[in-house]
Amino acid sequence: MEAPPVTVMPVTGGTINMMEYLLQGSVLDQALESLLHRLRGLCDNMEPETFTDHELVYLLKGQQGNPFILRARRSLSHPTAPWHLRYLGQSEVGDKSRHALVRNCVDVAASHSLPEFLNEMGFRMDHEFVSNGHIFRKGAMKIVVSKLSRILVPGNTENTEHLSLSYLVELSVLAPAGQDTVSEDMRSFAEQLKPLVHLEKIDPSKQRH
Amino acid sequence: MSGGPAVRISIESSCEKQVQEVALDGTETYVPPLSMSQNLAKLAQRIDFSQGSDSEEDVEGEPKDREWGKQDGEEEEGTVKFQPSLWPWDSVRNNLRSALTEMCVLYDVLSVVKEKKYMALDPVSQDPAAGKTPQVFQLISKKKSLATAAMILQKGAEKLSKSVAENQENRRQRDFNSELLRLRSQWKLRKVGDKILGDLSYRSAGSLFPHHGTFEVIKNTDIDLDKKIPEDYCPLDVQIPSDLEGSAYIKVSIQKQAPDIGDLGTVSLFRQQQKNKAGMPWHVKLEAAQNVLLCKEIFAQLSREAVQIKSQIPHIVVKNQIISHVSHTYISLSISLCHSTGEKKNNRASPEKPKPDDHLYVLEHNLHQMMREFHKQQLSSVVMPHPSSAPFGHKRLRLAGPLAYDKAEISSWQQTEGLLEKIIKQAKHIFLRSRTARTIDSLASRIEDPQIQAHWSNINDVYESSVKVLITSQGYEQICKSIQLQLNIGVEQIRVVHRDGRVVMLSHQEQELQDFLLSQMSQHQVHAVQQLAKVMGWHVLSFSNHVGLGPVESIGNASAVTVASPNGEYAISVRNGPESGCKVLVQFPRSQIKELPKSDVIQDAKWSHLRGPYKEVHWSKMEGRNFVYKMELLMAALTPCP
């Protein structure tokens, strides 16, 4: 089947022109408890929540250039919650004055028939994984401490295997483009988490092998 | 070695003892080894005691020396060879000799004394002058020793006082720490640099007020040790922001007349004397400051809403006062923030005459409560997104897309009633309630017959309360229970529910309720006659709540009843109107009328049973304390005796 031509241009304009500011790091399993303890102290006074999510990454190969990537995520712990479809743009790492990685981001809540819909559109699933861990909030900042697991049998989220002996720590903020004060707040928050975890801006393009 | 036979080797200790003799059978007898003392004796034998005792050549020693000499004859020759000074036991020998001499002398003296023949021992009388030290010297030495003792005591005292002071300092430090611990258990604290900052704000409880609300914890330990520590001394003190000092409250009042714009402005209403702040413990200070913060937040929220909300008559926000109109009448709700910093004396407020308290405490309390509800709502509306990558926000809004909600559904979530709208509604209700109560009370006091009773329910909603109104006649409460009204007072209108289920809606206008009650009272009288007739055995001929005949009443309608006596001879007709009052007519039987109009038609005797004409009763001249009593008397008078 011929793939339909797709523009790879990021979606701009309107209220959906949001940027995600991101800092990443990781901790070993042994250090998890102390990190959680610290986060509980630093973050907003909310009940600490755990989550288990299943993420599917879909690719649409156009005629030219890079494939178009969409991420579909659903909550395994809250099966009735809507699916979450996410487009992440090319990350801008170059600016030294900015303390966080910035990328274009489009978030859409979707119904449960999302995978079929994407398949019909011509998207193909590239890979899937299960992520479980803890989620914290401080103001607009979201802190996700998660463990990634590989799915051994495609589609079976029960049968998984941990990818590593460490937890991924992500600090992210969604903000309209051009709000660089956000990254300042993120940096000061990341400072407070040192030396438990060092949150840095990690360029995903340089990590590809 | 491995192959050959083992060689026997007998080991025997070498005999180092001297052989004394060898017996004939060949056995050797050894000289037994010398014991320690024997060895010593043997060595001592070799000492030549006569050598070097040249200084003392006494007679007594002579024979002994001779004996020694004889005994050690053979050794003397050997020892002589040594130099006497170099001889190792020389000093021992000398000492022993002198000791012996002393002992001998002592022995002699003792034996002489013992015999008591030659000598007697007498105690020697001591010369007092010789033993006495000069007084000056004694004095000096005493002084010296005293000084030393004093110095030691002083040193000890110093040490003690120092340790006591240290102890106190430690305790104060410990008290500071324990106070800090107590503070920590109740307030949010964090350390910034070398300062300890605390959080006064309600942000963690869901407040969105932008005031930072931080206070600083101060260690208050450097007080003068010499001075007496005041009773309420606390090693921990707090420094609150200057704009949160003092005390504040929200004042809500209803003003009857339209406020003059010129009169608006700062409302300073602090009449109560400010307490002395210096002695306040930290928790009182913090609570006061937090209260100020909450009041400010409430006022800020109300002001913001007052500006945003479109209403027929715009709300006015001036300085620390918000004025909004409650009804279409000239009644306005005034909400003001009263904040006294406590520094400046209330010079301006004091000359003002203390006005009667027009606070609406209930509304003030409700404002606080609603603010807290708002906080809670803020807090509970924030939920963690699932899946975790989803953005923060309302869960319902995230569901809107997948579940295809329409616009009406979404907009229904978003419109929420603001604090100001709620409080205005509550104020309207309170005002309507108080006015209803006043109307009923004034009617009850103005009109004695029939009586009005109002039973207010104690438990009310903020927007609705109810009252039960009974209209009765004194003394006839059991008979005349026809009018029972339930008034549900809402925000804008009053809903009246009759006993039989009829519902009447009244507006907030005072006159409307009054007219309604008046018409009900007039109906009550007619109902009472009807009830009374039943009791008295009279027959009701006709009854009408709303009479279509006669003069038109300005309020409601007149009602009428006609009752006939048990034997049917008499009839009483009553017409009662709210405005025109009551009119009572009695119909006599035709037979009793003397001057009957002559008529050709009804000459026959059988016509005497026809009813006669009506005559009006001068009701005001009737005896009896109220209408029903008068009516009872009238009925009794018209009932023939059996």
Side-chain angles (χ1 to χ4, degrees):
Chain A
M1 192 182 83
E2 183 93 4
V6 181
T7 56
V8 213
M9 290 296 290
V11 190
T12 53
T15 51
I16 53 169
N17 190 14
M18 296 291 269
M19 304 294 263
E20 189 192 41
Y21 291 73
L22 182 71
L23 285 177
Q24 286 174 314
S26 74
V27 285
L28 288 173
D29 290 355
Q30 300 93 292
L32 177 72
E33 272 312 309
S34 46
L35 176 68
L36 293 183
H37 194 78
R38 183 99 182 102
L39 282 171
R40 268 199 289 274
L42 286 173
C43 291
D44 283 354
N45 188 16
M46 289 172 70
E47 284 299 305
E49 282 209 36
T50 58
F51 69 92
T52 310
D53 290 349
H54 176 207
E55 182 162 330
L56 304 139
V57 181
Y58 284 90
L59 290 185
L60 181 61
K61 292 196 175 67
Q63 274 116 350
Q64 84 281 17
N66 294 326
F68 187 75
I69 305 173
L70 280 182
R71 293 164 180 276
R73 203 182 248 246
R74 68 178 168 125
S75 174
L76 296 174
S77 48
H78 294 68
T80 52
W83 280 59
H84 179 227
L85 181 66
R86 185 164 229 212
Y87 164 77
L88 290 172
Q90 206 60 249
S91 49
E92 308 165 15
V93 211
D95 194 351
K96 282 278 184 283
S97 66
R98 211 182 276 142
H99 302 287
L101 181 142
V102 183
R103 56 191 181 187
N104 207 300
C105 176
V106 181
D107 290 297
V108 184
S111 60
H112 289 227
S113 55
L114 181 66
E116 294 86 45
F117 175 72
L118 288 175
N119 270 326
E120 290 295 326
M121 278 187 77
F123 281 91
R124 288 295 167 259
M125 194 185 78
D126 184 59
H127 59 276
E128 59 179 339
F129 60 89
V130 169
S131 158
N132 69 317
H134 305 262
I135 181 164
F136 294 89
R137 172 176 191 170
K138 181 173 174 61
M141 282 188 275
K142 178 159 71 178
I143 302 98
V144 176
V145 182
S146 62
K147 180 136 206 139
L148 300 184
S149 311
R150 176 188 295 128
I151 291 180
L152 296 175
V153 182
N156 184 1
T157 51
E158 302 291 316
N159 193 0
T160 58
E161 177 194 65
H162 292 326
L163 272 175
S164 68
L165 292 175
S166 55
Y167 274 82
L168 174 68
V169 184
E170 283 179 309
L171 170 63
S172 64
V173 178
L174 271 183
Q179 285 205 349
D180 282 355
T181 49
V182 169
S183 65
E184 200 58 41
D185 294 345
M186 291 172 73
R187 191 184 61 91
S188 63
F189 186 81
E191 280 300 316
Q192 295 186 62
L193 286 179
K194 280 177 184 174
L196 287 167
V197 59
H198 289 267
L199 295 175
E200 290 160 9
K201 48 175 182 178
I202 294 163
D203 188 359
S205 61
K206 286 182 184 158
Q207 286 185 318
R208 295 224 173 91
H209 304 297
Chain B
M1 189 174 157
S2 55
V7 181
R8 285 180 68 117
I9 300 170
S10 65
I11 296 172
E12 204 179 344
S13 64
S14 63
C15 182
E16 283 178 0
K17 293 167 193 165
Q18 277 183 318
V19 178
Q20 199 177 22
E21 61 174 29
V22 180
L24 290 173
D25 56 349
T27 53
E28 294 170 340
T29 315
Y30 302 107
V31 178
L34 289 173
S35 71
M36 204 71 153
S37 53
Q38 281 171 328
N39 204 17
L40 183 72
K42 193 181 167 190
L43 285 171
Q45 275 177 355
R46 294 162 73 175
I47 299 169
D48 180 15
F49 288 98
S50 59
Q51 204 82 24
S53 65
D54 39 8
S55 59
E56 280 175 272
E57 284 290 335
D58 53 342
V59 197
E60 281 180 317
E62 189 62 31
K64 277 180 192 169
D65 259 3
R66 285 225 184 102
E67 280 168 30
W68 278 89
K70 273 177 203 165
Q71 281 167 10
D72 305 337
E74 53 198 74
E75 281 183 37
E76 252 179 40
E77 291 153 342
T79 55
V80 161
K81 288 178 248 170
F82 297 107
Q83 286 291 319
S85 60
L86 296 174
W87 199 54
W89 288 87
D90 193 37
S91 64
V92 176
R93 192 196 62 145
N94 287 345
N95 285 335
L96 278 173
R97 271 190 79 95
S98 61
L100 178 69
T101 317
E102 296 282 324
M103 285 301 290
C104 289
V105 171
L106 185 64
Y107 174 76
D108 289 346
V109 168
L110 283 174
S111 59
V112 166
V113 167
K114 210 180 164 190
E115 291 299 312
K116 293 195 176 171
K117 255 190 259 175
Y118 317 105
M119 262 171 94
L121 287 175
D122 273 332
V124 185
S125 69
Q126 229 169 355
D127 183 12
K132 206 170 132 189
T133 41
Q135 270 191 337
V136 183
F137 179 72
Q138 219 174 357
L139 209 67
I140 288 170
S141 71
K142 268 187 183 165
K143 216 175 161 185
K144 237 181 186 174
S145 58
L146 275 176
T148 327
M151 218 162 70
I152 289 167
L153 281 175
Q154 233 166 8
K155 264 187 189 169
E158 257 172 41
K159 266 187 185 171
L160 268 177
S161 66
K162 208 188 268 179
S163 77
V164 164
E166 251 172 34
N167 239 354
Q168 268 183 342
E169 176 62 36
N170 274 350
R171 205 173 51 218
R172 216 165 293 126
Q173 176 70 28
R174 210 163 43 237
D175 282 356
F176 173 76
N177 288 339
S178 65
E179 287 285 319
L180 191 64
L181 198 67
R182 272 179 53 206
L183 185 70
R184 176 79 184 79
S185 66
Q186 291 164 21
W187 298 88
K188 225 173 162 179
L189 293 182
R190 71 197 148 98
K191 200 156 187 282
V192 178
D194 55 348
K195 286 178 180 174
I196 304 171
L197 296 182
D199 190 9
L200 270 175
S201 71
Y202 281 97
R203 212 164 300 132
S204 57
S207 164
L208 300 176
F209 194 51
H211 195 286
H212 57 87
T214 46
F215 65 91
E216 192 185 337
V217 180
I218 300 166
K219 199 169 165 185
N220 191 15
T221 49
D222 48 340
I223 53 156
D224 203 344
L225 286 174
D226 301 335
K227 278 187 202 158
K228 197 172 167 282
I229 298 170
E231 285 290 307
D232 51 354
Y233 165 73
C234 182
L236 189 146
D237 202 7
V238 288
Q239 173 89 47
I240 51 177
S242 57
D243 57 337
L244 296 182
E245 272 172 4
S247 59
Y249 63 91
I250 298 271
K251 179 183 182 280
V252 182
S253 60
I254 288 178
Q255 290 168 349
K256 295 286 156 54
Q257 69 279 10
D260 187 5
I261 297 288
D263 291 349
L264 295 178
T266 334
V267 184
S268 55
L269 292 142
F270 274 96
R271 279 193 293 278
Q272 68 263 50
Q273 206 58 39
Q274 288 297 309
K275 276 179 277 173
N276 187 18
K277 298 178 36 184
M280 283 204 291
W282 50 264
H283 56 90
V284 178
K285 265 191 192 174
L286 290 178
E287 276 162 24
Q290 201 171 30
N291 182 47
V292 174
L293 187 67
L294 186 67
C295 287
K296 286 195 165 195
E297 184 178 354
I298 292 170
F299 193 76
Q301 175 78 18
L302 289 172
S303 321
R304 194 166 52 241
E305 284 175 14
V307 174
Q308 284 170 354
I309 293 169
K310 303 267 185 294
S311 72
Q312 288 175 334
I313 308 165
H315 308 291
I316 307 164
V317 182
V318 184
K319 284 185 188 171
N320 65 345
Q321 200 174 10
I322 300 169
I323 292 170
S324 52
H325 294 272
V326 173
S327 302
H328 304 294
T329 51
Y330 293 115
I331 288 156
S332 56
L333 177 73
S334 149
I335 303 168
S336 32
L337 172 71
C338 304
H339 183 198
S340 91
T341 48
E343 284 162 2
K344 55 169 196 259
K345 282 283 164 201
N346 278 328
N347 291 331
R348 276 185 304 160
S350 50
E352 279 175 22
K353 273 176 76 181
K355 286 179 280 181
D357 247 347
D358 51 353
H359 281 236
L360 289 171
Y361 293 108
V362 176
L363 289 188
E364 286 161 21
H365 173 79
N366 283 358
L367 268 178
H368 283 254
Q369 209 169 7
M370 285 193 293
M371 196 72 225
R372 282 167 199 272
E373 268 169 24
F374 177 72
H375 286 172
K376 185 165 177 276
Q377 197 189 333
Q378 282 295 325
L379 206 63
S380 57
S381 72
V382 179
V383 286
M384 286 297 187
H386 285 283
S388 65
S389 59
F392 291 127
H394 280 279
K395 195 183 167 192
R396 285 185 305 199
L397 284 181
R398 273 179 46 72
L399 282 170
L403 297 182
Y405 287 140
D406 57 7
K407 193 185 169 191
E409 221 161 342
I410 293 169
S411 59
S412 72
W413 303 332
Q414 283 169 336
Q415 56 164 323
T416 48
E417 215 170 26
L419 218 56
L420 186 63
E421 282 170 286
K422 280 183 192 162
I423 207 73
I424 287 175
K425 269 174 81 178
Q426 291 188 12
K428 277 180 179 174
H429 168 67
I430 285 178
F431 184 71
L432 188 60
R433 191 176 59 196
S434 67
R435 204 158 61 173
T436 307
R438 210 179 50 224
T439 306
I440 294 172
D441 285 354
S442 72
L443 273 180
S445 65
R446 193 151 54 88
I447 299 168
E448 285 174 3
D449 180 36
Q451 293 176 322
I452 295 184
Q453 296 173 6
H455 299 281
W456 291 88
S457 64
N458 286 326
I459 301 163
N460 297 326
D461 187 62
V462 284
Y463 300 133
E464 190 168 316
S465 47
S466 72
V467 56
K468 197 163 194 174
V469 176
L470 293 178
I471 299 172
T472 57
S473 299
Q474 198 194 353
Y476 296 90
E477 286 89 354
Q478 286 305 307
I479 307 168
C480 318
K481 284 193 288 189
S482 56
I483 309 281
Q484 285 183 6
L485 303 166
Q486 170 93 28
L487 267 61
N488 290 331
I489 303 160
V491 174
E492 294 252 316
Q493 52 190 5
I494 304 170
R495 188 163 165 269
V496 184
V497 184
H498 277 270
R499 195 177 160 201
D500 54 5
R502 278 179 297 149
V503 175
V504 179
M505 300 298 284
L506 300 176
S507 81
H508 58 87
Q509 296 289 340
E510 196 175 2
Q511 194 62 41
E512 226 168 291
L513 177 70
Q514 196 176 329
D515 292 354
F516 174 75
L517 286 177
L518 279 173
S519 77
Q520 289 297 312
M521 284 156 101
S522 95
Q523 280 190 14
H524 163 80
Q525 304 290 50
V526 176
H527 278 280
V529 175
Q530 193 191 3
Q531 301 287 334
L532 189 66
K534 277 183 194 163
V535 175
M536 303 283 287
W538 287 51
H539 308 291
V540 178
L541 298 181
S542 75
F543 174 79
S544 172
N545 258 335
H546 305 285
V547 180
L549 297 168
V552 177
E553 304 279 334
S554 62
I555 313 159
N557 291 317
S559 45
V561 67
T562 306
V563 290
S565 63
N567 60 2
E569 282 189 333
Y570 296 94
I572 300 172
S573 185
V574 181
R575 184 184 195 272
N576 198 1
E579 201 184 29
S580 55
C582 66
K583 196 173 175 186
V584 183
L585 300 166
V586 177
Q587 193 185 35
F588 294 93
R590 206 172 178 82
S591 55
Q592 287 189 13
I593 311 261
K594 305 285 183 311
E595 60 279 3
L596 273 172
K598 294 287 172 205
S599 168
D600 301 333
V601 188
I602 43 172
Q603 287 291 338
D604 204 8
K606 67 176 180 184
W607 297 115
S608 64
H609 291 293
L610 266 180
R611 290 179 181 279
Y614 280 96
K615 275 195 173 177
E616 188 174 350
V617 181
H618 294 288
W619 198 246
S620 56
K621 289 182 181 167
M622 278 283 292
E623 271 195 48
R625 56 173 182 270
N626 60 23
F627 178 84
V628 186
Y629 189 53
K630 283 177 183 175
M631 188 56 72
E632 190 184 354
L633 288 179
L634 182 65
M635 285 180 176
L638 295 178
T639 309
C641 299

